[in-house]
């Protein structure tokens, strides 16, 4: 079975993380947990992008060195991920010596392959995006994302010869699969329209904070080249061939990102890899933006939502659930705390928490064991079929739909209680045990399905149902005596 490498973009350390960054990292964590539950070996990579003009600019503003800013802010990302129960395998920082060496090695390779040349260039540079924009990209003369005026930059740089044909072939043959289809069409559109070669270096006079270009001491390696290479430097490119083969060459590689950096990942990165003969990633999942009143979240716009505050108020699992459930994984979606509280009350408190409480109360009142083998086969089949559909949705990165599917199974539990009225059947022991066995089987499966998104809550439910650490294949041998516990999700006012 192929191993899986899951990556997130490495985030700029000009600031602390917001819920947009949290979403991508959470999606990677959820996929990692899901694939592991399917018996697959997974490596989950995230980190921070620490070089470039943007970081240098912020450092200067607050009177610190760029390295100090990087150290402070990369810690904030680590802390936020810890608060959100996100468990990555490796956190790369582009200021790591190991990464810097790998980047130098890669650009030397580009030179060796004759893939770069020197050119005088003039263009409009947005420091916020760390890229050149064209007049067409601007709205009222400003970068549409950062609302700032790009600088006119004219300098001599090294350029990478873009081979668009090879990239197109890769995408068209689905060797590099881009989802959703809309993102794939966008990339093919870009490829058809044609793109200029891009610079891989900046003059040191202008940008000092970066990795030296090994063959020209007046140049710094362009921050995007530096950044993209994290995906391979982190897993051994340049210094550990065995690891690199294991987690890149022979693995199924999945990049997660939002549409703002699609061109870098679906055009430039594949072209770079092709030019030196390294295998390309297998899949890229492009999700939408979290917006606030329809606008992209950013510090500049002052609509920044800090995930730490939300976790402190509601707990990690609630935030994890809400971020994944509320917006479609392929579309933009608005964040609002009001919606969060509504969903908490409806889906979690009245939905999941209430079903658990009812089952436990009935079980405790009954006072005897409930053999799971008595679960009704029609309910067992519904649960298994739902779990299968859920898995298919997870493979397609449709987290919100997978959770909706899970809640449809919960709904079946509520229906079963309403029509079978178990409280009237306690005296007909066998009949009662059959209903309860079905309910426990059903809710136990819900707990397994929510495990990637809500690991702690899933455990609590499995503990309450006495199914924690019981392999699914031996559930039918279990005899269960239930006891009430405190509400999983007390209602919010
Ligand atoms: N440093 C580059 C990425 C280099 S990867 C080789 C960068 N950093 S970033 O800090 O700006 O992060 C961009 C990514 O953060 C997006 O692609 C997305 O994954 C996530 N998000 C940032 N804002 C977001 C929203 N408002 N909504 C959803 N995700 C967003 O670009």
């Amino acid at each position: 079975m192929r191993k899986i490498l899951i990556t997130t973009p490495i985030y700029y350390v000009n600031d602390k993380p917001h819920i947009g960054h949290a979403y991508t990292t959470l999606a990677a964590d959820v996929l990692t947990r899901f694939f592991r539950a399917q018996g697959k070996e997974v490596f989950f990579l995230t980190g921070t992008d620490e070089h470039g003009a943007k970081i240098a600019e912020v450092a200067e503003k607050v009177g610190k060195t760029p390295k100090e800013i990087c150290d402070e802010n990369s810690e904030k990302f680590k802390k936020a991920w810890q608060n959100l129960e996100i468990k990555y395998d490796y956190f790369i920082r582009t200021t790591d010596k190991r990464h810097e060496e790998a980047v130098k090695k890669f650009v030397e390779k580009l030179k060796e392959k004759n893939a770069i040349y020197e050119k005088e260039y003039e263009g409009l540079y947005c420091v916020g995006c760390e890229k050149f924009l064209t007049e067409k990209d601007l709205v009222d003369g400003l970068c549409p994302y950062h609302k700032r005026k790009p600088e006119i930059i004219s300098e001599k740089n090294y350029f990478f010869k873009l081979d668009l044909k090879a990239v197109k072939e890769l995408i068209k043959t689905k060797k590099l699969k881009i989802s959703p289809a809309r993102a794939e069409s966008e990339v093919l559109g870009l490829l058809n329209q044609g793109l200029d070669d891009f610079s891989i270096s900046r003059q040191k006079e202008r940008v000092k904070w970066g990795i030296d270009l090994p063959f020209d001491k007046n140049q710094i390696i362009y921050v995007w080249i530096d950044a993209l290479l994290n995906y391979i430097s982190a897993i051994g490119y340049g210094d550990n061939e065995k690891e690199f083969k294991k987690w890149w060459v022979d693995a199924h590689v999945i990049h997660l990102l939002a549409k703002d950096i699609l061109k870098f990942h679906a055009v430039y990165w594949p072209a770079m890899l092709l030019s030196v003969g390294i295998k390309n990633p297998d899949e890229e999942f492009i999700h939408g933006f979290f917006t606030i009143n329809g606008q992209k979240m950013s510090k500049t716009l002052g609509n920044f939502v800090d995930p730490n505050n939300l976790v402190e108020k509601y707990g990690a699992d609630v935030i994890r659930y809400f971020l994944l459930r509320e917006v479609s994984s392929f579309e933009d979606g608005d964040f609002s705390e009001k919606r969060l509280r509504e969903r908490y009350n409806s889906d979690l408190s009245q939905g999941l928490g209430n079903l658990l409480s009812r089952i436990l109360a009935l079980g405790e009142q009954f006072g005897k064991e409930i053999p799971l083998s008595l679960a009704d086969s029609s309910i067992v089949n519904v649960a298994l079929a739902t779990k299968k559909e859920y898995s298919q949705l997870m493979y397609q990165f449709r987290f919100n739909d997978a959770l909706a599917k899970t809640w449809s199974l919960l709904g079946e539990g509520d229906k079963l209680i309403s029509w079978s009225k178990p409280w009237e059947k306690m005296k007909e022991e066998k009949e009662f045990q059959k209903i309860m066995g079905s309910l426990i089987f059903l809710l136990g499966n819900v707990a397994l399905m929510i495990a990637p998104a809500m690991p702690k809550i899933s455990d609590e439910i499995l503990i309450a149902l006495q199914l924690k650490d019981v392999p699914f294949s031996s559930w039918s041998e279990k005899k269960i005596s239930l006891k009430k516990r405190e509400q999983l999700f007390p209602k919010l006012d």
Side-chain angles (χ1 to χ4, degrees):
M1 200 180 342
R2 273 174 99 192
K3 297 180 177 26
I4 302 176
L5 171 68
I6 298 181
T7 73
T8 73
I10 49 170
Y11 306 108
Y12 288 127
V13 283
N14 58 324
D15 214 329
K16 59 186 182 181
H18 59 59
I19 56 164
H21 307 116
Y23 182 80
T24 321
T25 323
L26 182 56
D29 183 69
V30 166
L31 278 178
T32 301
R33 290 173 189 265
F34 169 74
F35 287 139
R36 285 196 181 134
Q38 311 268 311
K40 299 190 194 310
E41 255 193 275
V42 188
F43 193 98
F44 166 15
L45 171 66
T46 188
T48 40
D49 190 353
E50 307 193 351
H51 288 131
K54 183 170 169 136
I55 311 299
E57 196 177 70
V58 169
E60 200 180 310
K61 228 183 244 165
V62 296
K64 293 189 178 168
T65 64
K67 186 65 169 65
E68 281 168 341
I69 288 287
C70 293
D71 290 346
E72 275 170 27
N73 284 344
S74 66
E75 272 312 307
K76 290 182 192 159
F77 279 84
K78 285 187 183 165
K79 187 83 192 97
W81 303 160
Q82 190 188 346
N83 289 344
L84 273 163
E85 298 288 336
I86 289 172
K87 301 217 158 56
Y88 48 80
D89 293 296
Y90 190 73
F91 191 100
I92 186 163
R93 298 183 53 189
T94 52
T95 49
D96 293 342
K97 192 92 208 116
R98 177 186 182 206
H99 170 76
E100 297 191 352
E101 291 308 315
V103 171
K104 287 184 187 167
K105 199 161 178 175
F106 188 91
V107 292
E108 293 270 25
K109 258 265 155 3
L110 286 180
K111 184 155 182 275
E112 218 177 278
K113 296 273 175 189
N114 233 339
I116 50 181
Y117 61 95
E118 262 187 291
K119 185 173 92 170
E120 195 72 53
Y121 186 75
E122 186 173 283
L124 298 165
Y125 196 81
C126 171
V127 175
C129 299
E130 289 281 18
K131 68 175 183 190
F132 282 103
L133 304 177
T134 62
E135 288 286 355
K136 262 199 327 237
D137 296 326
L138 307 183
V139 176
D140 299 329
L142 304 178
C143 159
Y145 285 137
H146 298 95
K147 313 276 184 234
R148 65 189 268 179
K149 200 169 166 206
E151 296 167 37
I152 299 175
I153 284 181
S154 156
E155 58 182 43
K156 195 167 185 179
N157 297 145
Y158 288 84
F159 277 75
F160 173 72
K161 292 181 201 158
L162 250 185
D163 178 0
L164 295 182
K165 233 174 95 203
V167 176
K168 200 157 143 187
E169 179 71 13
L170 200 68
I171 295 171
K172 282 206 139 163
T173 54
K174 307 273 182 204
K175 282 197 182 125
L176 168 55
K177 191 173 157 221
I178 298 175
S179 1
R182 191 175 358 95
E184 189 195 76
S185 317
E186 193 182 322
V187 176
L188 289 173
L190 282 173
L191 292 168
N192 287 336
Q193 146 205 329
L195 285 167
D196 292 335
D197 292 348
F198 66 96
S199 73
I200 64 142
S201 70
R202 298 290 315 276
Q203 271 190 12
K204 222 186 225 171
E205 259 169 49
R206 289 181 192 276
V207 183
K208 291 184 184 57
W209 182 236
I211 305 173
D212 283 346
L213 191 66
F215 42 85
D216 186 339
K217 294 293 172 221
N218 296 320
Q219 303 264 331
I220 288 282
I221 295 170
Y222 175 42
V223 62
W224 263 103
I225 301 290
D226 173 350
L228 287 164
L229 287 165
N230 93 86
Y231 298 132
I232 58 174
S233 73
I235 40 142
Y237 173 79
D239 72 353
N240 189 335
E241 222 166 288
K242 204 168 137 222
E243 282 295 292
F244 181 55
K245 183 166 166 4
K246 178 170 165 190
W247 290 113
W248 187 274
V249 181
D250 294 343
H252 184 86
V253 177
I254 309 175
H255 291 323
L256 269 50
L257 51 134
K259 57 188 175 183
D260 51 342
I261 51 177
L262 178 59
K263 184 160 76 178
F264 285 100
H265 284 79
V267 181
Y268 296 163
W269 177 228
M272 282 162 62
L273 290 167
L274 282 165
S275 73
V276 298
I278 295 179
K279 178 211 123 162
N280 251 282
D282 299 85
E283 283 188 69
E284 293 186 357
F285 160 55
I286 321 299
H287 65 76
F289 281 139
F290 266 102
T291 55
I292 304 281
N293 298 323
Q295 280 209 306
K296 186 179 183 258
M297 208 173 312
S298 82
K299 195 64 181 248
T300 336
L301 303 179
N303 56 5
F304 195 99
V305 178
D306 183 339
N308 298 308
N309 298 340
L310 294 173
V311 169
E312 201 176 312
K313 218 159 147 188
Y314 301 100
D317 277 20
V318 170
I319 302 307
R320 291 170 64 103
Y321 171 75
F322 180 71
L323 292 181
L324 293 163
R325 176 66 185 90
E326 176 67 2
V327 304
S328 151
S329 37
F330 294 150
E331 312 279 340
D332 290 354
D334 230 39
F335 174 87
S336 98
E337 199 167 336
K338 181 166 170 274
R339 279 295 297 147
L340 165 62
R341 296 173 74 86
E342 282 167 10
R343 267 208 188 276
Y344 174 97
N345 279 337
S346 62
D347 303 5
L348 300 179
S349 182
Q350 280 162 41
L352 185 57
N354 193 32
L355 183 62
L356 176 69
S357 296
R358 292 177 86 184
I359 293 174
L360 296 182
L362 285 162
E364 183 171 303
Q365 205 184 339
F366 181 57
K368 290 183 206 152
E369 285 186 332
I370 298 155
L372 259 194
S373 56
L374 291 182
D376 191 294
S377 61
S378 63
I379 296 290
V380 169
N381 289 339
V382 169
L384 297 181
T386 310
K387 205 155 77 175
K388 201 164 160 197
E389 288 175 67
Y390 151 92
S391 287
Q392 284 161 354
L393 292 166
M394 291 293 279
Y395 275 107
Q396 296 165 30
F397 310 111
R398 290 169 58 187
F399 310 116
N400 58 316
D401 293 330
L403 286 169
K405 192 49 59 198
T406 310
W407 257 252
S408 77
L409 186 58
L410 254 179
E412 293 299 319
D414 287 333
K415 269 194 248 162
L416 177 59
I417 295 185
S418 306
W419 70 255
S420 66
K421 302 193 172 53
W423 55 90
E424 290 177 0
K425 311 235 162 83
M426 268 191 219
K427 299 232 164 58
E428 303 156 51
E429 215 164 272
K430 255 285 165 31
E431 183 55 25
F432 182 79
Q433 284 172 320
K434 188 171 174 174
I435 302 170
M436 290 302 289
S438 305
L439 287 168
I440 296 170
F441 185 84
L442 186 150
L443 188 59
N445 275 288
V446 167
L448 295 182
M449 288 153 73
I450 63 171
M454 306 175 89
K456 288 229 160 111
I457 294 294
S458 164
D459 275 354
E460 293 207 38
I461 297 174
L462 291 171
I463 290 168
L465 299 179
Q466 294 173 8
L467 290 170
K468 173 89 180 91
D469 298 327
V470 179
F472 186 63
S473 52
S474 39
W475 277 21
S476 59
E477 292 151 31
K478 281 290 287 183
K479 293 190 170 66
I480 292 163
S481 346
L482 297 174
K483 288 221 158 26
K484 284 200 256 187
R485 52 151 290 153
E486 64 189 25
Q487 271 280 350
L488 264 187
F489 302 104
K491 201 162 188 297
L492 295 173
D493 292 331

